[in-house]
Amino acid sequence: AGFAWFTINYRLAPKYPFPACIEDVESAIRWVKAHAAEYKADPQRIALIGESAGGQLVSLAGVRAKEDTRVAAVVPFYAPHDMELRVKQSPSMPTWVAPLFGVKELNDAAWQALHDASPINHVRPGLPPYLLIHGTQDDKVPFEQSLRFQEKMKAAGNTCDLITIEGGRHGMGGWEKLDPGFKEKLVAWLLKKLS
């Protein structure tokens, strides 16, 4: 589609608990901006795209952005936007909570970390446009996560579009049969928002 792509790596838990992962994404944004000319890229037209945990990170980077980490668009695929809600909906503490946040129980510090890591809690006016992409049959990150985030973004006056993959599960496997044009929709959205 004519885009320059950069793949971002970030430190992983449990060796590097939160917020190491989001700090690495923000550091990568600054690096891409500083080196954009070398790759014939426009630092004013950067879009972040991520899936699942990567979707949560790009979404969080978008809502936390300062001038040096602000981007032009954000595309989270099936992202957990409200980690507090995900934990509250679980019958017990999910296995990912302890290593990601370095906690052993759901105490005040753990709930604060979950709050801080949830993009939905940082929504404010003036954010870049978002395109959420999510399947309705996601058994890992409920489709409701995207609906609730979109509602809050729009209430704050932000652009937040949603591509719904009817019957889509977590991950893009099988999506081509359910919605053969979803990739073209993504590219068209990016071309429009980054023009």
Side-chain angles (χ1 to χ4, degrees), residues 13-14 16-18 96-105 107 110 113:
Y16 302 102
F18 186 87
W96 52 266
V97 174
L100 182 57
F101 297 106
V103 297
K104 292 190 167 92
E105 61 180 339
N107 55 24

Side-chain angles (χ1 to χ4, degrees), residues 32-41 43:
V32 169
K33 286 185 173 189
H35 295 268
E38 296 169 41
Y39 297 93
K40 298 180 176 61

Side-chain angles (χ1 to χ4, degrees), residues 54-170:
Q56 180 265 338
L57 289 174
V58 300
S59 188
L60 188 60
V63 296
R64 281 175 37 134
K66 306 286 190 251
E67 191 56 41
D68 63 337
T69 56
R70 184 169 174 82
V71 295
V74 182
V75 183
F77 280 75
Y78 34 86
H81 295 285
D82 188 339
M83 298 173 92
E84 289 175 286
L85 180 62
R86 289 292 297 128
V87 171
K88 288 174 185 173
Q89 291 173 331
S90 299
S92 60
M93 186 168 85
T95 56
W96 52 266
V97 174
L100 182 57
F101 297 106
V103 297
K104 292 190 167 92
E105 61 180 339
L106 289 173
N107 55 24
D108 289 346
W111 284 112
Q112 185 63 52
L114 286 161
H115 176 88
D116 293 346
S118 298
I120 200 166
N121 294 326
H122 302 279
V123 170
R124 63 186 193 281
L127 294 176
Y130 273 62
L131 174 62
L132 313 178
I133 306 177
H134 210 142
T136 59
Q137 298 300 311
D138 192 325
D139 60 346
K140 302 272 190 294
V141 178
F143 180 64
E144 165 200 22
Q145 287 270 322
S146 286
L147 294 176
R148 291 181 73 250
F149 185 77
Q150 182 185 40
E151 182 181 345
K152 189 157 185 185
M153 284 284 286
K154 287 185 170 184
N158 299 307
T159 296
C160 190
D161 298 313
L162 172 63
I163 294 176
T164 300
I165 310 298
E166 289 296 336
R169 297 197 167 277
H170 197 75

Side-chain angles (χ1 to χ4, degrees), residues 5-6 8 22 25-26 28-30 32 45-51 54-63 65 69-77 128-131 186 189-190 194:
W5 286 87
F6 299 84
I8 295 173
I22 187 61
V25 172
E26 291 167 341
I29 294 167
R30 288 189 288 271
V32 169
R45 297 169 62 202
I46 295 173
L48 297 179
I49 301 176
E51 300 176 61
Q56 180 265 338
L57 289 174
V58 300
S59 188
L60 188 60
V63 296
T69 56
R70 184 169 174 82
V71 295
V74 182
V75 183
F77 280 75
Y130 273 62
L131 174 62
L186 164 60
W189 187 90
L190 285 171
L194 299 177

